[in-house]
Amino acid sequence: MTLEYRQKWTKTEFSDWRCVGFSPSGRYIALGDGDSLIFASVEDGSFLSIMQSRNNTIVSLEWSTNDVVVCAYNNGTITDVAMKQVGTSTAKSSASC
């Protein structure tokens, strides 16, 4: 088997990535930025959804199903976040917690 490196993301406005996790299907990736949870497409690298967190830092994340991520925050809070795909893969939605 040959591995091929293909860069999808470079430094963006979300540059403080602390944790990442692939969905069970391998189609999506969740990225825990300092104050954001970002869902992205593995296929084309587009951001699908961005959730801003107020005054909390995501320190750990884990996919529980193909569209739900459990997040742990620096203040001890644990939440589950459902990915809602909006329109096409290039659409973005935002929510606050």
Side-chain angles (χ1 to χ4, degrees):
M1 175 193 321
T2 303
L3 297 177
E4 180 182 337
Y5 171 77
R6 289 187 258 163
Q7 184 170 336
K8 297 284 187 183
W9 302 282
T10 59
K11 186 173 180 172
T12 64
E13 66 271 20
F14 308 103
S15 61
D16 190 21
W17 293 349
R18 297 173 184 264
C19 46
V20 299
F22 287 92
S23 67
S25 70
R27 294 180 56 207
Y28 306 107
I29 188 168
L31 305 160
D33 178 84
D35 63 354
S36 304
L37 175 63
I38 302 161
F39 292 104
S41 166
V42 170
E43 184 178 324
D44 64 10
S46 63
F47 291 155
L48 303 174
S49 183
I50 301 167
M51 185 191 83
Q52 298 290 322
S53 176
R54 294 189 183 140
N55 302 318
N56 293 315
T57 300
I58 298 171
V59 295
S60 180
L61 63 83
E62 183 73 33
W63 288 84
S64 64
T65 66
N66 204 42
D67 64 348
V68 176
V69 171
V70 177
C71 297
Y73 297 86
N74 64 329
N75 68 352
T77 303
I78 298 174
T79 62
D80 59 339
V81 180
M83 180 181 74
K84 303 290 185 196
Q85 189 165 350
V86 181
T88 66
S89 62
T90 57
K92 296 180 184 176
S93 63
S94 297
S96 297
C97 64

